Amino acid sequence: MSTETMTRAEAAPATLPVGHYGYDAVDRAFLRERIEQFRDQVNRRISGELTEEEFKPLRLMNGLYLQLHAYMLRVAVPYGTLDSRQVRALARIAREFDKGYGHFTTRQNIQFNWIRLEDTVAALEVLAEADMHAIQTSGNCIRNVTSDEFAGAAKDELLDPRVHAEILRQWSTLHPEFTFLPRKFKFAISGSPHDRVVARFHDVGLIARPGPHGRPVFEVFVGGGLGRTPIVGVSLRDDLPEEDLIAYVEAVLRVYNEFGRRDNIYKARIKILVQALGADEFRRRVEEEFVAMDRARYRLEPAIVEAIKARFGTPDFAPESNAADVLAQDRSRDAAFDAWVRTNTHEHKVPGYISVVVSLKPAGGIPGDATAEQLDLLADLAEEFSFGELRVTHLQNVVLGHVRQDQLHTVWQRLSQAGLGTANVNFITDIVACPGLDYCALANARSIPIAQKLSSRFADLELQREVGEMRINISGCINACGHHHAAHLGILGVDKRGEEAFQITLGGSGEKDASIGQILGPAMSEDDTVNAVARLIDFYLVRRENGERFLDTYRRVGTAAFKDVVYAPA
Amino acid sequence: MPLLENGRLVEDTWHYAIEGEPLGNGDVIVPPERLSEGLGRTAGRLGVALPNGEPASSLKAALPKLSLVVVTFPIFRDGRAFSQARALREHLHFTGQIRAAGHVLPDQYEFLIRCGVNTVEVAENADLSVWTRNLKQFDVAMQPSPVLDEKPTGFALRRLLNRAG
Ligand code: HEM
Ligand code: SF4
């Protein structure tokens, strides 16, 4: 007991970072030990003691991929929350070890695509100085836990899921039993009834809500996923008490580790196991394990949760009483600002505050890319206007969570000056795209150029407003890193007799009404695909009824009519 | 094959049964098919090599008479042996030796121990200093071991790794 109190008191820094867990001396020592281990592994690889086959999973567990032209380093952003100091460290890595930019991913991580093997230890040291790492951002282990980009800010939120995301992060870090799983394993957690984390498309998706005695309960979805076999996850438990959270996910992973297929990497994800056994049999095996295990060992006591929570900084909200009036005046004076506020903000739980989505999708740009200068600016803005906190979204944008409404106009001006003021969030040019054949060794086609063409084609803001909410996602191959299945309009790169070609899928959704997009017809060239998208949009504009989104019209009118638009001879 | 325990080389008194030959009297490790033959002996201790895909519970009946179970890594990436070892300790309360064999990396040493393995067969030419280093790499773990009673340290789920050797 006394060590516990002491460690906590000793380690408490002057100020804790808002929105994420603040490291203490033990966490920092752990990271240093991990870097030493990796340094040793790199040396053993260079000396030939480790074969490339043996080195590969070890480097992957430190986020290091070998891509087409260079190594790629994927840095973990636990539950998508960063502080200004960390964003500056990322800018430094972009500048010193990459070509001046980084690429935000749909897993709330950031990737650097041009890293040299001999620089990786140095890059990890820069990260460690800012309490960051690349642990378990790839490999067949438990990956970065993703969470809601409006966590702790959204008006519709029931509880901030990031404390439990942090608990899962710590629990899964170098887990002795689950570091050599059949395949990678991804958690997502939300505390809002509006699923903004795509929980049903994860290996385990958790939706938290308040339960009895002031402690949360969780709905547990298992076996969802995209990739080449898109599957919507099944609900395993509706009412998992907090104290059993760790025990229960241990049980799920035990069943997966024992029974998941290892003979075929395309059939190794937990979704395949859940489908093969059936939801009931899978649930039965999990329950059997759960009942048999020593649950006291894994009991997540309220005191543990509270101790972790105590290491999260909380924003000290001090709204100006006239903030809303100032914002209203600014909007009425400045039409461009007003348009941006309409698309790029989200309602905050505290009156006088607002959350801002900064679009990383300028007209004709590369989705998710940010330059070192832009990262530095975002760090400054976060520091000046949002309690030093910045979030990454699964749609490759970033969020300033807590901006005072009377300061919003200034924030917008500063963003606009740096090319970050695009007013297109959730519009047709808010495109998600994977790295594709420009970087990725597995790709069939380039995702980035077609994203840029579509972005230019629909750049006109009037047109975008007219089209309304519209989600386009692009993947360069069936691995679906761009989540094309979960898009209203998905684009999938395929290989058509040695040529790059694209298939269109329609009707997907990653939200509460989760559904998997259906392939419309044969693949087309890049330009034909861009033209086909334009025709589909025209058709929707003609056929839509009172306020329908593209997705709604598609669901009502049906595939055949949309298919004719693309494939029927004129 | 050199045998490691707590990061040190130890003498291996066990031998694997040879196919088609009698088991003899020493400490012998048999495949599950020869379990009853092994149990029928009057001298020497008995161990079983648990095949990779078999659940630990398949040994339940014989376990009280076994002094050793071998869990095998066909390749180091196949992590099922971690779960087998853990289940032997946690669910079947096996207190004998659990030995890891096959393709294991020194980078997995700590994981093995924390899942209940106590000895590891390493390659003839293995650099033992790498194994020892890996055993001492970390001072804390971020979660409780499923089988060892490590001391909590600080707060959260952290456990103190107190390594001898
Ligand atoms: C360029 C290097 C990359 C490589 C080599 C790569 C490799 C893969 C592979 C092989 C799969 C299929 C795994 C399976 O379904 O079993 C996959 C799926 C996935 N990857 Fe990537 N990926 C890369 C980049 C990315 C990026 C940039 C993102 C985020 C934008 C990402 C996020 C995902 C997601 C979300 C899935 C899919 C589905 C799921 O989890 O069910 N990956 N990736
Ligand atoms: S979807 Fe395919 S092309 Fe795109 S990043 Fe993933 S593996 Fe590479």
Side-chain angles (χ1 to χ4, degrees):
Chain A
M1 192 68 222
S2 67
T3 34
E4 191 170 305
T5 4
M6 237 177 56
T7 318
R8 229 181 297 165
E10 261 173 15
T15 51
L16 287 162
V18 164
H20 70 89
Y21 169 84
Y23 274 29
D24 67 4
V26 175
D27 295 297
R28 296 204 173 99
F30 184 86
L31 264 199
R32 277 197 302 278
E33 289 161 1
R34 176 65 173 183
I35 292 174
E36 284 318 308
Q37 187 184 41
F38 185 62
R39 191 196 307 276
D40 182 59
Q41 289 163 351
V42 172
N43 290 340
R44 279 156 62 212
R45 173 69 197 114
I46 290 169
S47 78
E49 189 184 325
L50 282 173
T51 64
E52 180 54 28
E53 198 212 353
E54 290 173 330
F55 180 56
K56 185 178 168 188
L58 302 177
R59 67 166 158 75
L60 285 178
M61 270 174 241
N62 279 292
L64 198 61
Y65 272 86
L66 186 55
Q67 298 202 95
L68 272 184
H69 312 290
Y71 279 97
M72 174 271 275
L73 180 67
R74 184 182 289 162
V75 177
V77 182
Y79 34 98
T81 309
L82 291 161
D83 62 55
S84 291
R85 186 181 51 123
Q86 295 176 324
V87 179
R88 291 192 183 105
L90 295 175
R92 187 174 151 200
I93 288 179
R95 224 174 254 127
E96 290 179 18
F97 303 111
D98 198 303
K99 296 184 173 178
Y101 51 89
H103 181 78
F104 286 102
T105 79
T106 54
R107 292 279 309 156
Q108 298 184 313
N109 291 323
I110 184 166
Q111 293 184 179
F112 295 98
N113 286 313
W114 300 97
I115 301 286
R116 300 181 319 157
L117 181 60
E118 49 275 38
D119 285 339
T120 47
V121 172
L124 291 179
E125 281 171 339
V126 171
L127 290 174
E129 278 171 38
D131 302 337
M132 273 191 296
H133 59 74
I135 297 172
Q136 289 170 212
T137 54
S138 56
N140 294 334
C141 51
I142 300 170
R143 301 288 190 87
N144 185 32
V145 179
T146 54
S147 183
D148 187 339
E149 60 247 33
F150 297 118
K155 199 167 179 182
D156 63 17
E157 182 173 275
L158 300 174
L159 58 94
D160 188 339
R162 292 176 298 184
V163 173
H164 293 87
E166 172 64 23
I167 290 169
L168 290 170
R169 181 191 76 82
Q170 296 193 12
W171 159 78
S172 64
T173 297
L174 307 194
H175 193 291
E177 190 174 340
F178 307 134
T179 303
F180 296 88
L181 296 168
R183 205 72 182 82
K184 58 185 167 182
F185 203 92
K186 299 173 180 180
F187 278 89
I189 176 166
S190 172
S192 158
H194 294 102
D195 178 7
R196 277 183 291 264
V197 301
V198 211
R200 289 160 185 81
F201 280 133
H202 281 78
D203 297 287
V204 169
L206 298 166
I207 308 278
R209 64 175 193 272
H213 317 295
R215 307 309 309 176
V217 293
F218 299 87
E219 177 163 20
V220 184
F221 293 94
V222 173
L226 296 165
R228 61 185 66 215
T229 318
I231 292 174
V232 179
V234 300
S235 176
L236 218 53
R237 274 292 287 269
D238 179 40
D239 55 352
L240 183 71
E242 180 186 55
E243 62 172 28
D244 285 332
L245 179 64
I246 298 296
Y248 197 77
V249 295
E250 285 256 353
V252 169
L253 274 136
R254 288 173 176 195
V255 171
Y256 172 53
N257 194 39
E258 185 171 348
F259 298 106
R261 283 180 65 172
R262 292 176 187 264
D263 58 329
N264 178 343
I265 64 159
Y266 301 122
K267 305 229 179 277
R269 294 291 287 270
I270 194 173
K271 62 191 173 188
I272 304 290
L273 178 64
V274 174
Q275 295 297 309
L277 294 177
D280 290 336
E281 173 60 13
F282 184 82
R283 184 184 294 108
R284 193 192 62 74
R285 290 194 193 186
V286 171
E287 289 295 331
E288 188 177 66
E289 183 63 39
F290 182 63
V291 168
M293 66 199 288
D294 176 7
R295 299 236 292 279
R297 185 180 283 274
Y298 303 98
R299 219 176 99 83
L300 189 57
E301 307 274 355
I304 295 178
V305 180
E306 293 307 313
I308 297 219
K309 193 174 180 181
R311 296 205 58 83
F312 276 66
T314 41
D316 193 3
F317 293 117
E320 290 292 305
S321 55
N322 66 344
D325 299 336
V326 174
L327 175 58
Q329 280 163 24
D330 291 337
R331 289 180 73 165
S332 65
R333 270 200 297 267
D334 188 335
F337 173 62
D338 182 57
W340 178 81
V341 175
R342 253 184 282 147
T343 48
N344 291 43
T345 59
H346 197 264
E347 208 175 357
H348 200 283
K349 62 182 182 183
V350 177
Y353 281 84
I354 196 160
S355 299
V356 171
V357 185
V358 179
S359 168
L360 298 179
K361 322 283 176 66
I366 298 175
D369 268 15
T371 64
E373 292 67 36
Q374 289 175 329
L375 288 168
D376 277 334
L377 173 77
L378 289 167
D380 291 346
L381 292 178
E383 199 161 70
E384 288 172 54
F385 299 102
S386 195
F387 302 95
E389 187 213 68
L390 189 75
R391 297 111 180 273
V392 184
T393 81
H394 73 279
L395 301 175
Q396 299 179 294
N397 291 316
V398 295
V399 165
L400 293 163
H402 319 286
V403 175
R404 255 168 51 186
Q405 292 183 356
D406 53 312
Q407 296 180 326
L408 192 59
H409 193 251
T410 314
V411 170
W412 172 72
Q413 285 175 317
R414 299 263 298 270
L415 286 170
S416 298
Q417 282 158 15
L420 292 172
T422 315
N424 63 345
V425 169
N426 290 331
F427 280 170
I428 189 167
T429 61
D430 187 3
I431 296 170
V432 168
C434 79
L437 194 53
D438 289 300
Y439 297 102
C440 176
L442 305 173
N444 288 323
R446 288 168 301 156
S447 318
I448 292 173
I450 190 169
Q452 291 177 295
K453 281 188 182 172
L454 285 166
S455 170
S456 304
R457 175 83 168 237
F458 293 101
D460 181 59
L461 267 182
E462 280 303 319
L463 173 64
Q464 294 195 49
R465 260 175 238 137
E466 180 59 29
V467 174
E469 189 186 323
M470 173 85 203
R471 170 124 306 289
I472 294 185
N473 290 36
I474 306 170
S475 303
C477 79
I478 193 65
N479 287 319
C481 300
H483 293 181
H484 65 278
H485 300 294
H488 303 173
L489 191 157
I491 294 176
L492 166 65
V494 296
D495 178 302
K496 204 171 179 180
R497 284 172 245 106
E499 300 280 321
E500 291 175 51
F502 298 89
Q503 271 178 352
I504 293 178
T505 62
L506 292 182
S509 165
E511 295 176 15
K512 210 179 161 81
D513 56 349
S515 59
I516 290 159
Q518 299 303 312
I519 296 171
L520 197 60
M524 294 168 280
S525 72
E526 183 178 286
D527 285 330
D528 287 348
T529 307
V530 173
N531 289 330
V533 172
R535 288 207 301 280
L536 289 166
I537 296 299
D538 285 342
F539 179 71
Y540 148 70
L541 289 174
V542 170
R543 294 293 300 271
R544 77 167 159 199
E545 286 172 6
N546 41 26
E548 277 179 337
R549 299 170 300 168
F550 179 89
L551 178 65
D552 306 320
T553 306
Y554 170 76
R555 284 178 173 165
R556 178 175 56 78
V557 173
T559 313
F562 278 83
K563 188 169 179 170
D564 282 348
V565 172
V566 175
Y567 296 102
Chain B
M1 222 171 230
L3 189 69
L4 271 187
E5 182 171 5
N6 280 327
R8 290 206 204 93
L9 276 183
V10 290
E11 199 197 335
D12 190 358
T13 64
W14 292 83
H15 68 275
Y16 285 88
I18 299 169
E19 220 184 305
E21 289 184 19
L23 297 178
N25 284 335
D27 294 348
V28 66
I29 302 166
V30 298
E33 311 86 79
R34 297 183 72 179
L35 199 57
S36 51
E37 185 188 345
L39 290 169
R41 289 189 321 160
T42 48
R45 294 183 298 167
L46 185 65
V48 169
L50 181 63
N52 197 244
E54 286 293 313
S57 57
S58 64
L59 295 179
K60 190 168 181 172
L63 214 52
K65 303 197 183 75
L66 298 179
S67 305
L68 176 148
V69 176
V70 179
V71 295
T72 310
F73 287 80
I75 178 130
F76 68 99
R77 277 184 268 113
D78 185 336
R80 281 178 289 185
F82 293 109
S83 287
Q84 289 177 322
R86 187 264 308 144
L88 283 167
R89 295 273 186 238
E90 189 194 27
H91 292 332
L92 303 170
H93 311 290
F94 181 60
T95 53
Q97 185 185 144
I98 299 182
R99 176 185 291 206
H103 186 183
V104 194
L105 299 185
D107 312 77
Q108 298 174 305
Y109 198 9
E110 183 190 294
F111 299 151
L112 289 169
I113 289 179
R114 300 191 76 226
C115 286
V117 169
N118 39 14
T119 57
V120 185
E121 292 176 5
V122 299
E124 220 51 75
N125 56 353
D127 178 353
L128 294 185
S129 68
V130 180
W131 286 84
T132 339
R133 233 182 9 254
N134 267 285
L135 196 57
K136 295 181 183 163
Q137 192 80 53
F138 293 96
D139 294 324
V140 292
M142 289 295 169
Q143 66 294 102
S145 145
V147 297
L148 302 183
D149 286 315
E150 298 151 334
K151 239 175 69 135
T153 176
F155 65 103
L157 303 170
R158 290 171 183 169
R159 294 294 184 272
L160 195 61
L161 298 174
N162 197 0
R163 296 275 176 259

